[in-house]
Amino acid sequence: MKIKNIYIVFLIISIGFMSCSKTTSTSAWKSFSGDKRIEQRVDSVLKLMTLEEKIGQMTQFSANWSITGPVMSDDFQPYLEKGLIGSIFNATSVKGVRQMQEIAVEKTRLGIPILFGQDVIHGYKTIFPIPLAEACSWDLEMMRRTAEIAAIEAASDGINWTFAPMVDISRDARWGRVMEGAGEDPYLGSKIAEARVHGFQGGSDWKSLSSTTSILACGKHLAAYGAAESGRDYNPAELSEHTLRNVYLPPYEAALKAGVGTFMASFNEINGVPATADRWLLTDVLRNEWGFNGFVVSDYTGVNELVPHGVAKDEKQAAELAVNAGVDMDMTGATYIKFLNESVKEGKVSEKTIDNAVRRILEMKFLLGLFDDPYRYLDESRAQQNTMTPEFMETARKAVASSVVLLKNEENILPISKESGKTIALIGPLMNDSINLNGEWAGLGDRNKSVPILKGLRDKYQDTSVRLIYGEGSTITETTPAKIAEAVSAARRADVVIAAMGEDFNWSGEAAVRTDIRLPKPQIELLKALKATGKPIVLVTLSGRPLDLSWEDENMNAILQAWFPGTQGGHGIADVIAGDYNPSGRLVMSFPRNVGQIPIYYNQKNTGRPVDLNNERIDYKSNYLDTSIAPLYPFGFGLSYSTFAVSNVRSDKSSMKTVNDKITVTTTVQNTGNVDGEMVIQLYTRQLWASVTRPIKELKGFQKVSLKAGESKQLSFELTSEDLAFYGIDMKKKTEPGDFKLWIAQHSADNSNEISFSVSE
């Protein structure tokens, strides 16, 4: 393919700068790679650019799409043809991406390639369980691998940047975007952020970005988007700096240390300052304190929204606030391209600020190899070979099974053996549904290709002694006497009922906030009718958030929380129901008893009048009049078809120093049941006194261990003094002396294996 001469010229010039220039970088710019050769190439391109072209690199537009391909709006095409676009969002397919890249590279003055972004959140075409579900597997390698597969598929379709992982801590199940994250715990959230960054980007080294199977990751939403008041999307977050630093910021910093190339500023404000205009957050903390040298992008029209937020009088001032705060790229708002040229001339934005933002963007394009070959991702045959392969399907199926959480299993009703000879009534609006399985943010996944639970169970039990009967009973939001009668008739003819209930996929995700997180009334009506038959009921719940399952917990015989499981949902769930996979999932968000408990999370503070959970009726304590303060199901909880015992917890010493010290804790874990299985062993600590109040428990380690029936293993955990560091009264992160408790537990409410130790200066 012929490339414009000017494109070849500036490549030659850029190579020439490597040999003839010591450095042309300004002292304020520190490159992401630290590679002088790349720095010089970046600066050689920058020297060729006009101010308008520089600002164009800081501009992202969203492509509009028809069924057959890209449709560029009137205000989009002219910017592209003038070389005034740095990135395009939502352009998909090899053909569509190539069409736009050709314009950028071959028909503009400098031929600078475009960076193509897409929301690849939990899969591109092979859709994996929603991130909240995957987090419940506590399997970091599996999560790294699913992100890697998503990157392979997306890169094969021309995408080279994803707006993931979302690393927001989520304590409020009303918020629809809990489905995108890893739950309520900063330690686990940090580990998952690291795994997913490595999966998308191919590793922790920037050199891995040059692979055509890797894509650029984006840590979002900086910061504390999950702390929005009332669980309402875009709402303010009122947080002390202690809470911000000790709870909400750690997963972002973990993503940075994992090598993430970009961050996204959040929609919300923190303590009166919208993140998009927060220089303290984006420059003082992110760049100067943490040392981030990639680039920051706004969220969708986030710059424009500084006007309704009330910190900018118009979009011109909004652009100035954002770029001076540290936002390098304007996502779809067009404020930079419209106003920053004038702002520079007026002295309200320095050209040095513009230059450094552009350097960061150009460097990522060099690291991705786009300057060397703008079409390196674009190969139709490669796209076909790397999409929904048998290997990817098998990984997706395993991801489903490992993400399912068994919440209740009365009298061991599950699993239902293929040799049991039972008749099973398969009931419910989500039993024969494929559309909802992918959940929200499902990439380009074909919802019609997702495997319904009904098909998964039929395939599982075909040619066995098990007999299946199907009756829908209701839709997600409606039922009729006739539909209920059909379902009840099926139940009466069965030995056991499996009911698939839950949410519509549109009820979670962005701008999908619910104040009632119970199952819809028609589904409860159906369950009550099924219960009246006297037959045992297995409830399979599909949702994008923790639900209020208080009634279900009292009335159902077994409950499987299956979330939105993705492409292989039916097969993975069937593997669990039939016992071919022993459930190992553990909750990463607490399930409330009712919406009035929200926000609810395990790592709460004690208060001066703490509640004794064994006697919550004592007056003038921090309790409720009408329910327990404890969650229905706590963080870290999940059942298995086997049982496990933790014993002989001990440490190699009873004290350590605040700096450069450690203790080693060992324990014996035994599978005390008759079925092979996996257990997530969790280490929690509590500091009893410090300069500021500390949580009643904090996760500090975990291991997922596989044990055969009756088998025992000895596990060791290393706890360093640095693991105990936090931001204290002086707002400095350090380990303070104090007395500690430590638990090796099966979940956050398990206090059965406790030891004490101390930390001294």
Side-chain angles (χ1 to χ4, degrees), residues 649-695:
V649 177
R650 59 203 182 279
S651 61
D652 63 339
K653 54 186 181 182
S654 60
S655 65
M656 66 175 169
K657 301 295 184 181
T658 56
V659 180
N660 297 327
D661 205 354
K662 64 182 179 181
I663 63 172
T664 300
V665 182
T666 57
T667 187
T668 300
V669 182
Q670 183 180 13
N671 183 338
T672 54
N674 299 317
V675 181
D676 298 350
E678 294 176 287
M679 182 65 204
V680 179
I681 303 299
Q682 302 156 40
L683 184 153
Y684 295 90
T685 65
R686 178 182 180 184
Q687 187 163 6
L688 300 181
W689 52 270
S691 65
V692 295
T693 59
R694 304 294 295 129

Side-chain angles (χ1 to χ4, degrees), residues 101-131:
Q101 193 71 288
E102 284 179 350
I103 295 173
V105 170
E106 302 187 32
K107 297 183 180 180
T108 66
R109 191 179 79 89
L110 293 179
I112 298 175
I114 295 273
L115 186 62
F116 290 92
Q118 183 78 19
D119 280 315
V120 185
I121 306 300
H122 55 109
Y124 184 68
K125 291 187 177 178
T126 301
I127 306 302
F128 300 100
I130 59 173

Side-chain angles (χ1 to χ4, degrees), residues 230-248:
S230 306
R232 282 170 45 209
D233 238 330
Y234 323 118
N235 221 21
E238 289 293 330
L239 297 170
S240 69
E241 189 176 345
H242 280 110
T243 301
L244 181 64
R245 285 186 176 274
N246 286 318
V247 177
Y248 288 91

Side-chain angles (χ1 to χ4, degrees), residues 477-497:
T477 58
E478 296 178 348
T479 193
T480 64
K483 278 184 172 292
I484 289 181
E486 178 188 15
V488 166
S489 174
R492 285 175 175 156
R493 290 178 282 142
D495 299 300
V496 61
V497 175

Side-chain angles (χ1 to χ4, degrees), residues 236-242 244 268-274 278 280:
E238 289 293 330
L239 297 170
S240 69
E241 189 176 345
H242 280 110
L244 181 64
N268 60 288
E269 67 172 66
I270 302 174
N271 302 333
V273 183
D278 194 340
W280 173 81

